[in-house]
Amino acid sequence: MHDLKRDFLRYLAQTSDSPIGLEIERAEGSWLYCSGGQRYLDFISGIGVSNLGHGNPEVLGAIERQAKRHLHAMVYGEYVQRAQVELAARLAGVLPPSLNRIYLTNSGAEAIEGAMKVARKHTGRAGFVAFDGCYHGDTTGAMALGGNPVFRSPFGTLIGPVRHLPYGEAGELRRIDDSIAAVVVEPIQAEGGVRIPSLDFMGGLRRRCDEVGATLVFDEVLTGFGRTGRLFGFEHFGVVPDLIVLAKALGGGLPLGAFCGSDQRIGTLAHDPPLGHITTFGGHPLSCAAGLAALNVTLREKLWERAALQGAKLIASLRDLVAEQMVAVRGMGLLIGIEFRAPALAQAFVARTIERGVIINWTLNAERVVRLAPPLTIGDEELEFALHAMGEALRELR
Ligand code: PLP
Protein backbone atom coordinates (compact mmCIF):
# COMPACT_ATOMS: atom_id res chain seq x y z
CA MET A 1 0.00 0.00 0.00
CA HIS A 2 1.10 3.56 -0.69
CA ASP A 3 2.71 4.84 2.52
CA LEU A 4 1.98 8.55 2.63
CA LYS A 5 3.88 9.26 5.84
CA ARG A 6 6.99 7.47 4.56
CA ASP A 7 6.90 9.47 1.30
CA PHE A 8 6.33 12.70 3.25
CA LEU A 9 9.52 12.03 5.16
CA ARG A 10 11.35 10.81 2.05
CA TYR A 11 10.45 13.46 -0.54
CA LEU A 12 9.36 16.66 1.16
CA ALA A 13 11.98 19.01 2.58
CA GLN A 14 11.75 18.77 6.34
CA THR A 15 11.78 21.76 8.65
CA SER A 16 12.59 19.90 11.87
CA ASP A 17 13.45 16.43 13.16
CA SER A 18 10.07 16.06 14.79
CA PRO A 19 7.14 17.10 12.57
CA ILE A 20 3.68 16.48 14.05
CA GLY A 21 3.05 14.44 10.91
CA LEU A 22 -0.76 14.13 11.13
CA GLU A 23 -2.21 12.80 7.87
CA ILE A 24 -4.93 15.33 7.11
CA GLU A 25 -7.87 13.88 5.20
CA ARG A 26 -10.25 16.81 5.42
CA ALA A 27 -11.10 19.80 7.59
CA GLU A 28 -14.40 21.35 8.58
CA GLY A 29 -15.28 24.12 11.01
CA SER A 30 -12.78 24.02 13.88
CA TRP A 31 -11.82 20.37 13.26
CA LEU A 32 -9.14 18.50 11.33
CA TYR A 33 -9.96 14.90 10.35
CA CYS A 34 -7.10 12.43 9.87
CA SER A 35 -6.75 9.34 7.75
CA GLY A 36 -6.77 7.06 10.81
CA GLY A 37 -10.26 8.32 11.72
CA GLN A 38 -9.13 10.59 14.59
CA ARG A 39 -10.17 14.22 14.71
CA TYR A 40 -8.36 17.17 16.26
CA LEU A 41 -9.61 20.55 17.36
CA ASP A 42 -7.55 23.11 15.43
CA PHE A 43 -6.68 25.46 18.29
CA ILE A 44 -4.05 27.37 16.28
CA SER A 45 -5.96 27.93 13.01
CA GLY A 46 -2.91 26.59 11.24
CA ILE A 47 -1.30 29.10 12.17
CA GLY A 48 -3.49 32.19 12.42
CA VAL A 49 -4.96 31.59 8.94
CA SER A 50 -8.34 29.89 9.36
CA ASN A 51 -10.07 32.71 11.24
CA LEU A 52 -13.44 31.54 9.87
CA GLY A 53 -12.69 27.90 10.59
CA HIS A 54 -12.24 25.40 7.75
CA GLY A 55 -14.48 25.06 4.71
CA ASN A 56 -16.57 28.21 5.07
CA PRO A 57 -19.22 27.80 2.32
CA GLU A 58 -19.03 31.45 1.19
CA VAL A 59 -15.28 31.20 0.74
CA LEU A 60 -15.55 27.87 -1.11
CA GLY A 61 -18.30 29.28 -3.36
CA ALA A 62 -16.19 32.32 -4.24
CA ILE A 63 -13.21 30.09 -5.10
CA GLU A 64 -15.37 27.92 -7.34
CA ARG A 65 -16.87 30.90 -9.17
CA GLN A 66 -13.45 32.50 -9.70
CA ALA A 67 -11.92 29.19 -10.86
CA LYS A 68 -14.57 29.03 -13.56
CA ARG A 69 -13.85 32.64 -14.64
CA HIS A 70 -10.05 32.47 -14.78
CA LEU A 71 -6.93 31.48 -12.85
CA HIS A 72 -3.62 33.24 -13.47
CA ALA A 73 -3.75 35.78 -16.32
CA MET A 74 -0.73 38.12 -16.00
CA VAL A 75 1.85 39.31 -13.47
CA TYR A 76 0.44 41.53 -10.75
CA GLY A 77 -0.12 45.15 -11.75
CA GLU A 78 -0.72 44.83 -15.52
CA TYR A 79 -4.26 43.62 -16.23
CA VAL A 80 -7.42 44.81 -14.54
CA GLN A 81 -8.59 41.72 -12.66
CA ARG A 82 -11.94 42.02 -10.91
CA ALA A 83 -10.99 39.79 -7.96
CA GLN A 84 -7.94 41.93 -7.11
CA VAL A 85 -9.73 45.24 -7.55
CA GLU A 86 -12.75 44.25 -5.48
CA LEU A 87 -10.62 42.93 -2.63
CA ALA A 88 -8.37 46.02 -2.64
CA ALA A 89 -11.36 48.38 -2.65
CA ARG A 90 -13.07 46.51 0.22
CA LEU A 91 -9.86 46.47 2.23
CA ALA A 92 -9.25 50.17 1.58
CA GLY A 93 -12.75 50.83 2.89
CA VAL A 94 -11.88 49.41 6.32
CA LEU A 95 -8.37 50.86 6.62
CA PRO A 96 -7.57 54.51 7.45
CA PRO A 97 -7.23 56.72 4.32
CA SER A 98 -3.43 56.85 4.73
CA LEU A 99 -3.27 53.05 4.20
CA ASN A 100 -5.48 53.00 1.14
CA ARG A 101 -3.03 51.94 -1.59
CA ILE A 102 -2.59 48.20 -1.61
CA TYR A 103 0.17 46.03 -3.09
CA LEU A 104 -0.78 42.33 -3.17
CA THR A 105 1.82 39.59 -2.63
CA ASN A 106 1.97 35.81 -2.14
CA SER A 107 2.92 35.71 1.53
CA GLY A 108 3.66 37.60 4.71
CA ALA A 109 7.44 37.55 4.33
CA GLU A 110 7.17 38.81 0.76
CA ALA A 111 4.97 41.67 1.94
CA ILE A 112 7.51 42.53 4.67
CA GLU A 113 10.22 42.67 2.00
CA GLY A 114 8.04 44.98 -0.09
CA ALA A 115 7.48 47.28 2.88
CA MET A 116 11.25 47.37 3.52
CA LYS A 117 11.87 48.38 -0.11
CA VAL A 118 9.20 51.10 0.00
CA ALA A 119 10.68 52.51 3.20
CA ARG A 120 14.19 52.62 1.72
CA LYS A 121 13.04 54.21 -1.51
CA HIS A 122 10.78 56.74 0.20
CA THR A 123 13.31 57.85 2.83
CA GLY A 124 16.55 57.33 0.89
CA ARG A 125 17.93 55.68 4.05
CA ALA A 126 19.27 52.16 4.62
CA GLY A 127 18.77 51.23 8.29
CA PHE A 128 16.02 49.28 10.03
CA VAL A 129 14.91 48.93 13.61
CA ALA A 130 13.17 45.78 14.83
CA PHE A 131 12.57 44.35 18.29
CA ASP A 132 13.92 41.49 20.41
CA GLY A 133 11.63 38.49 20.13
CA CYS A 134 9.92 39.59 16.91
CA TYR A 135 9.17 37.32 13.95
CA HIS A 136 8.55 38.72 10.46
CA GLY A 137 9.18 35.72 8.19
CA ASP A 138 12.05 33.68 6.81
CA THR A 139 13.16 35.28 3.55
CA THR A 140 16.55 36.89 4.05
CA GLY A 141 15.26 40.46 4.48
CA ALA A 142 12.43 39.49 6.83
CA MET A 143 14.74 37.17 8.73
CA ALA A 144 17.30 39.96 9.20
CA LEU A 145 14.61 41.81 11.17
CA GLY A 146 13.90 38.69 13.26
CA GLY A 147 14.45 39.16 16.97
CA ASN A 148 16.10 35.82 17.78
CA PRO A 149 19.82 35.49 16.87
CA VAL A 150 19.56 31.67 17.08
CA PHE A 151 17.63 31.71 13.81
CA ARG A 152 19.63 34.48 12.11
CA SER A 153 23.19 33.45 12.81
CA PRO A 154 23.44 30.21 10.76
CA PHE A 155 22.65 32.14 7.57
CA GLY A 156 25.59 34.52 7.50
CA THR A 157 25.26 38.10 6.32
CA LEU A 158 21.65 39.13 5.97
CA ILE A 159 20.29 42.50 4.89
CA GLY A 160 21.54 45.32 7.09
CA PRO A 161 21.98 47.40 9.05
CA VAL A 162 19.30 46.28 11.52
CA ARG A 163 19.26 47.59 15.09
CA HIS A 164 17.32 45.43 17.57
CA LEU A 165 15.72 47.24 20.51
CA PRO A 166 13.99 45.76 23.56
CA TYR A 167 10.28 45.32 22.86
CA GLY A 168 8.04 47.45 25.02
CA GLU A 169 10.73 49.69 26.55
CA ALA A 170 9.73 53.26 25.77
CA GLY A 171 13.02 54.62 27.18
CA GLU A 172 15.01 52.86 24.43
CA LEU A 173 13.12 54.48 21.55
CA ARG A 174 15.66 57.35 21.54
CA ARG A 175 17.95 54.93 19.72
CA ILE A 176 15.80 55.33 16.60
CA ASP A 177 17.60 58.06 14.65
CA ASP A 178 17.68 59.68 11.23
CA SER A 179 19.65 56.81 9.68
CA ILE A 180 16.57 54.60 9.99
CA ALA A 181 14.35 53.95 6.96
CA ALA A 182 11.78 51.93 8.89
CA VAL A 183 10.85 50.61 12.28
CA VAL A 184 9.05 47.28 11.88
CA VAL A 185 6.92 46.14 14.81
CA GLU A 186 4.17 43.68 15.68
CA PRO A 187 1.38 45.37 17.66
CA ILE A 188 1.34 42.17 19.75
CA GLN A 189 4.35 39.87 19.49
CA ALA A 190 3.07 36.39 18.73
CA GLU A 191 6.18 34.22 18.26
CA GLY A 192 7.86 36.39 20.90
CA GLY A 193 5.55 34.82 23.49
CA VAL A 194 2.28 36.77 23.06
CA ARG A 195 3.69 39.99 24.47
CA ILE A 196 1.39 43.00 24.66
CA PRO A 197 3.11 46.40 24.72
CA SER A 198 1.79 49.43 26.61
CA LEU A 199 -0.09 52.36 25.07
CA ASP A 200 2.86 54.49 26.17
CA PHE A 201 5.31 52.41 24.18
CA MET A 202 3.23 52.42 21.00
CA GLY A 203 2.44 56.14 21.31
CA GLY A 204 6.14 56.85 21.93
CA LEU A 205 7.08 54.80 18.89
CA ARG A 206 4.74 56.80 16.67
CA ARG A 207 6.12 60.10 18.03
CA ARG A 208 9.76 59.03 17.66
CA CYS A 209 9.25 57.89 14.05
CA ASP A 210 7.65 61.25 13.26
CA GLU A 211 10.52 63.14 14.94
CA VAL A 212 13.25 61.40 12.92
CA GLY A 213 11.29 60.77 9.70
CA ALA A 214 11.37 56.97 9.95
CA THR A 215 8.59 54.88 8.41
CA LEU A 216 6.51 53.06 11.03
CA VAL A 217 5.58 49.61 9.72
CA PHE A 218 3.05 47.46 11.59
CA ASP A 219 3.32 43.76 10.88
CA GLU A 220 -0.30 42.64 11.26
CA VAL A 221 0.22 39.33 9.47
CA LEU A 222 -1.08 37.47 12.51
CA THR A 223 -2.98 40.17 14.39
CA GLY A 224 -5.12 41.26 11.44
CA PHE A 225 -8.74 40.45 10.62
CA GLY A 226 -10.23 40.29 14.08
CA ARG A 227 -7.82 37.95 15.87
CA THR A 228 -7.08 40.33 18.77
CA GLY A 229 -10.63 41.55 19.37
CA ARG A 230 -10.43 44.48 16.94
CA LEU A 231 -10.37 44.25 13.15
CA PHE A 232 -6.69 45.31 13.24
CA GLY A 233 -4.26 45.30 16.15
CA PHE A 234 -3.30 48.96 15.72
CA GLU A 235 -6.82 49.96 16.78
CA HIS A 236 -5.99 48.97 20.39
CA PHE A 237 -3.27 51.61 20.61
CA GLY A 238 -4.74 54.69 18.92
CA VAL A 239 -1.77 54.70 16.55
CA VAL A 240 -1.90 54.55 12.75
CA PRO A 241 1.26 53.18 11.11
CA ASP A 242 2.72 54.46 7.82
CA LEU A 243 2.62 50.98 6.31
CA ILE A 244 0.63 47.92 7.36
CA VAL A 245 1.61 44.39 6.36
CA LEU A 246 -1.10 41.73 6.08
CA ALA A 247 -1.22 38.02 5.18
CA LYS A 248 -2.41 34.74 6.78
CA ALA A 249 -6.21 35.26 7.24
CA LEU A 250 -6.20 37.82 4.38
CA GLY A 251 -6.50 35.02 1.79
CA GLY A 252 -9.31 33.13 3.54
CA GLY A 253 -7.19 29.94 3.46
CA LEU A 254 -5.35 30.59 0.19
CA PRO A 255 -1.89 32.21 -0.02
CA LEU A 256 -2.07 36.00 -0.06
CA GLY A 257 -0.23 38.93 1.50
CA ALA A 258 -0.33 42.70 1.17
CA PHE A 259 1.49 45.85 2.18
CA CYS A 260 -0.56 49.01 2.28
CA GLY A 261 0.26 52.70 2.68
CA SER A 262 -0.35 56.13 1.24
CA ASP A 263 -0.32 56.87 -2.52
CA GLN A 264 2.91 58.75 -2.00
CA ARG A 265 4.73 55.89 -0.26
CA ILE A 266 3.50 52.90 -2.28
CA GLY A 267 3.73 55.03 -5.45
CA THR A 268 7.54 55.01 -5.21
CA LEU A 269 7.45 51.48 -6.66
CA ALA A 270 5.93 52.61 -9.97
CA HIS A 271 8.89 54.65 -11.21
CA ASP A 272 12.69 55.17 -11.11
CA PRO A 273 12.72 52.48 -12.45
CA PRO A 274 9.27 51.28 -13.39
CA LEU A 275 8.80 47.55 -12.72
CA GLY A 276 11.31 47.69 -9.87
CA HIS A 277 8.98 45.59 -7.72
CA ILE A 278 6.89 42.97 -9.50
CA THR A 279 5.53 39.49 -8.77
CA THR A 280 4.08 36.79 -11.01
CA PHE A 281 1.59 35.23 -8.62
CA GLY A 282 1.13 37.98 -6.00
CA GLY A 283 -2.59 38.78 -5.70
CA HIS A 284 -3.61 35.55 -7.41
CA PRO A 285 -7.27 35.88 -8.48
CA LEU A 286 -8.29 32.72 -6.63
CA SER A 287 -6.73 33.99 -3.40
CA CYS A 288 -8.31 37.42 -3.84
CA ALA A 289 -11.78 35.94 -4.41
CA ALA A 290 -11.39 33.79 -1.28
CA GLY A 291 -10.00 36.76 0.65
CA LEU A 292 -12.90 39.03 -0.33
CA ALA A 293 -15.46 36.42 0.73
CA ALA A 294 -13.62 35.91 4.04
CA LEU A 295 -13.43 39.66 4.65
CA ASN A 296 -17.13 40.05 3.91
CA VAL A 297 -18.01 37.31 6.42
CA THR A 298 -15.65 38.84 9.01
CA LEU A 299 -17.27 42.28 8.63
CA ARG A 300 -20.85 41.06 8.46
CA GLU A 301 -20.49 38.79 11.48
CA LYS A 302 -18.29 41.30 13.35
CA LEU A 303 -15.97 38.40 14.16
CA TRP A 304 -13.60 40.62 16.16
CA GLU A 305 -16.39 41.02 18.76
CA ARG A 306 -16.74 37.26 18.93
CA ALA A 307 -12.96 36.92 19.30
CA ALA A 308 -13.03 39.38 22.22
CA LEU A 309 -15.90 37.51 23.91
CA GLN A 310 -14.57 33.96 23.44
CA GLY A 311 -11.02 35.11 24.23
CA ALA A 312 -12.10 36.67 27.55
CA LYS A 313 -13.90 33.42 28.51
CA LEU A 314 -10.89 31.31 27.57
CA ILE A 315 -8.42 33.49 29.48
CA ALA A 316 -10.64 33.50 32.60
CA SER A 317 -11.06 29.70 32.50
CA LEU A 318 -7.35 29.14 31.94
CA ARG A 319 -6.57 31.35 34.94
CA ASP A 320 -8.98 29.22 36.97
CA LEU A 321 -6.88 26.15 36.19
CA VAL A 322 -4.09 27.79 38.24
CA ALA A 323 -1.55 25.05 37.80
CA GLU A 324 1.70 25.53 39.65
CA GLN A 325 3.67 24.97 36.43
CA MET A 326 2.00 28.00 34.83
CA VAL A 327 3.45 31.48 35.36
CA ALA A 328 0.91 33.54 33.48
CA VAL A 329 -1.94 33.54 31.00
CA ARG A 330 -2.23 36.61 28.80
CA GLY A 331 -3.73 37.59 25.50
CA MET A 332 -5.99 39.79 23.47
CA GLY A 333 -9.05 38.36 21.76
CA LEU A 334 -8.17 34.89 20.54
CA LEU A 335 -4.41 35.33 20.55
CA ILE A 336 -3.48 33.86 23.91
CA GLY A 337 -0.19 32.82 25.52
CA ILE A 338 0.31 30.44 28.45
CA GLU A 339 3.70 30.93 30.07
CA PHE A 340 5.30 27.98 31.89
CA ARG A 341 8.17 27.88 34.36
CA ALA A 342 10.43 25.94 31.95
CA PRO A 343 10.58 25.10 28.22
CA ALA A 344 10.32 21.35 28.98
CA LEU A 345 6.99 21.93 30.75
CA ALA A 346 5.66 23.91 27.79
CA GLN A 347 6.68 21.14 25.39
CA ALA A 348 5.22 18.38 27.54
CA PHE A 349 1.98 20.36 27.87
CA VAL A 350 1.73 20.73 24.09
CA ALA A 351 2.37 17.00 23.53
CA ARG A 352 -0.18 15.91 26.17
CA THR A 353 -2.82 18.32 24.84
CA ILE A 354 -2.37 17.08 21.28
CA GLU A 355 -2.70 13.47 22.54
CA ARG A 356 -6.10 14.55 23.86
CA GLY A 357 -7.19 15.84 20.46
CA VAL A 358 -6.42 19.56 20.62
CA ILE A 359 -3.73 21.11 18.42
CA ILE A 360 -1.68 23.82 20.13
CA ASN A 361 1.97 24.81 19.78
CA TRP A 362 4.70 26.74 21.50
CA THR A 363 6.16 29.98 20.20
CA LEU A 364 9.36 30.22 18.14
CA ASN A 365 11.16 32.89 20.13
CA ALA A 366 9.84 32.19 23.64
CA GLU A 367 10.26 28.52 24.46
CA ARG A 368 8.35 28.75 27.73
CA VAL A 369 5.20 30.10 26.09
CA VAL A 370 2.43 28.09 24.44
CA ARG A 371 0.22 29.94 21.97
CA LEU A 372 -3.52 29.45 21.44
CA ALA A 373 -5.17 30.92 18.34
CA PRO A 374 -8.40 29.05 17.58
CA PRO A 375 -10.76 30.09 14.77
CA LEU A 376 -12.73 33.23 15.67
CA THR A 377 -15.87 31.16 15.07
CA ILE A 378 -15.02 28.72 17.87
CA GLY A 379 -18.11 27.55 19.79
CA ASP A 380 -18.65 27.20 23.55
CA GLU A 381 -18.67 23.40 23.42
CA GLU A 382 -15.39 23.42 21.53
CA LEU A 383 -13.89 25.76 24.13
CA GLU A 384 -15.03 23.33 26.83
CA PHE A 385 -13.46 20.41 24.95
CA ALA A 386 -10.14 22.28 24.71
CA LEU A 387 -10.22 23.39 28.35
CA HIS A 388 -10.89 19.84 29.50
CA ALA A 389 -7.97 18.54 27.41
CA MET A 390 -5.62 21.27 28.68
CA GLY A 391 -6.74 20.72 32.29
CA GLU A 392 -6.00 16.99 32.02
CA ALA A 393 -2.65 17.70 30.37
CA LEU A 394 -1.71 20.05 33.22
CA ARG A 395 -2.68 17.46 35.82
CA GLU A 396 -0.43 14.92 34.12
CA LEU A 397 2.53 17.31 34.36
CA ARG A 398 2.36 17.33 38.18
N1 PLP B 1 4.91 38.22 10.30
C1 PLP B 1 4.35 37.55 11.32
C2 PLP B 1 3.93 38.30 12.55
C3 PLP B 1 4.15 36.17 11.23
O1 PLP B 1 3.59 35.51 12.25
C4 PLP B 1 4.55 35.51 10.04
C5 PLP B 1 4.37 34.06 9.90
O2 PLP B 1 4.18 33.32 10.83
C6 PLP B 1 5.14 36.25 9.01
C7 PLP B 1 5.29 37.62 9.18
C8 PLP B 1 5.58 35.59 7.75
O3 PLP B 1 4.48 35.23 6.97
P1 PLP B 1 4.62 34.07 5.87
O4 PLP B 1 4.83 32.78 6.61
O5 PLP B 1 3.33 34.12 5.11
O6 PLP B 1 5.80 34.43 5.02
Side-chain angles (χ1 to χ4, degrees), residues 48-52 59 63 87 91 104-106 221 225 246-258 284-295:
V49 171
S50 318
N51 280 10
L52 310 187
V59 174
I63 292 172
L87 173 64
L91 199 50
L104 296 166
T105 67
N106 297 280
V221 166
F225 302 102
L246 303 168
K248 290 196 182 271
L250 170 65
L254 291 186
L256 188 63
H284 192 282
L286 220 47
S287 305
C288 289
L292 177 61
L295 182 56

Side-chain angles (χ1 to χ4, degrees), residues 88-102 232 234 240-244 260-266:
R90 189 77 166 120
L91 199 50
V94 295
L95 285 167
S98 58
L99 299 174
N100 256 336
R101 182 67 70 166
I102 289 146
F232 298 106
F234 71 79
V240 176
D242 300 311
L243 297 174
I244 188 170
C260 320
S262 63
D263 289 351
Q264 200 194 9
R265 283 196 166 82
I266 305 289

Side-chain angles (χ1 to χ4, degrees), residues 214-349:
T215 311
L216 180 56
V217 181
F218 270 25
D219 176 343
E220 296 243 21
V221 166
L222 192 79
T223 51
F225 302 102
R227 164 104 2 237
T228 68
R230 296 281 179 92
L231 188 56
F232 298 106
F234 71 79
E235 296 171 33
H236 291 288
F237 300 98
V239 163
V240 176
D242 300 311
L243 297 174
I244 188 170
V245 176
L246 303 168
K248 290 196 182 271
L250 170 65
L254 291 186
L256 188 63
F259 55 100
C260 320
S262 63
D263 289 351
Q264 200 194 9
R265 283 196 166 82
I266 305 289
T268 59
L269 297 179
H271 50 77
D272 308 321
L275 307 182
H277 191 75
I278 52 178
T279 161
T280 298
F281 284 128
H284 192 282
L286 220 47
S287 305
C288 289
L292 177 61
L295 182 56
N296 283 338
V297 174
T298 304
L299 295 171
R300 191 186 64 227
E301 310 281 326
K302 294 194 170 61
L303 283 182
W304 58 93
E305 289 182 359
R306 197 176 161 77
L309 189 76
Q310 299 299 70
K313 281 189 215 164
L314 192 52
I315 289 175
S317 305
L318 285 166
R319 284 185 180 147
D320 282 349
L321 289 177
V322 215
E324 58 203 29
Q325 303 94 332
M326 273 161 52
V327 177
V329 176
R330 56 178 172 265
M332 267 184 157
L334 283 170
L335 178 56
I336 296 169
I338 309 175
E339 185 169 340
F340 286 83
R341 295 202 185 286
L345 286 170
Q347 287 193 16
F349 175 72

